[in-house]
Amino acid sequence: MNARTALFIFTALFALLLAAGAAVQCARAGEPHPGCTEAADKQTEDHAFRYEQYFLRAHPEIDRIVSILWDEGLPAKWVYLMLIESGGKADAVSGEGAKGLWQLTASTAKAYGCTDRADTEQATRAAARYISKLLKDFDGDEWRTIAAYNMGGRNLKKHGPTSEARALADQVFCLFFKDPFFLDSME
């Protein structure tokens, strides 16, 4: 059994424990990080089984996605944004027309060099470049970057976060700190 297979088995078992409520504390701390709101923390616990399904669905591509994120200068934890945005489905399509694992709109994909939003490598590279730009635009504020990824940077600056963007940002930000699939250990 190689290290990646062992890690996969361990993370799947850990996710099952989370789903059963046996492990509800953060992976890195005895309690939720202050950035992990109580509602997002509860949602993370309540939806652990769903997150496990997202992870398992995307698992064949996770190593490749993490490698691309590293190449583009981002840590592995940004995989959680992809998992929440698309549920790990490469063929996901939103009501707004965003497509693929990273739920890129046609204009964002084009702006960041992606001609095929269903192509994991192209979409991940485009998403990573977009995330990097948003991180710069929002002075490294990861929560606002996540919200801006969902609703657009200009819209966030002009109107503030929508309830959908706020909920998504809370959820992903909480997963960053809980790291239930130990993505940080992949680095």
Side-chain angles (χ1 to χ4, degrees), residues 45-120:
E45 292 171 26
D46 291 348
H47 297 306
F49 182 75
R50 181 182 304 167
Y51 300 147
E52 176 192 9
Q53 296 306 306
Y54 296 169
F55 185 82
L56 292 173
R57 188 179 296 135
H59 182 264
E61 298 287 352
I62 294 291
D63 287 346
R64 189 166 154 216
I65 292 167
V66 168
S67 178
I68 293 166
L69 290 172
W70 291 338
D71 285 351
E72 295 291 336
L74 292 174
K77 69 183 178 182
W78 286 96
V79 166
Y80 291 115
L81 175 61
M82 177 272 297
L83 291 175
I84 300 304
E85 279 282 352
S86 68
K89 293 181 184 176
D91 61 352
V93 180
S94 78
E96 302 295 319
K99 292 183 180 179
L101 284 171
W102 289 94
Q103 289 295 281
L104 295 169
T105 62
S107 61
T108 300
K110 183 177 178 182
Y112 292 93
C114 177
T115 58
D116 181 1
R117 294 178 281 170
D119 180 274
T120 300

Side-chain angles (χ1 to χ4, degrees), residues 126-140:
R129 291 176 190 135
Y130 184 43
I131 291 165
S132 294
K133 179 203 179 292
L134 292 171
L135 282 166
K136 287 177 190 165
D137 290 352
F138 292 100
D139 301 319

Side-chain angles (χ1 to χ4, degrees), residues 149-172:
Y149 186 93
N150 179 259
M151 65 179 288
R154 281 190 222 121
N155 287 334
L156 181 65
K157 286 178 181 179
K158 187 174 180 179
H159 305 290
T162 61
S163 59
E164 176 188 338
R166 177 175 279 118
L168 179 124
D170 285 349
Q171 190 176 3
V172 173

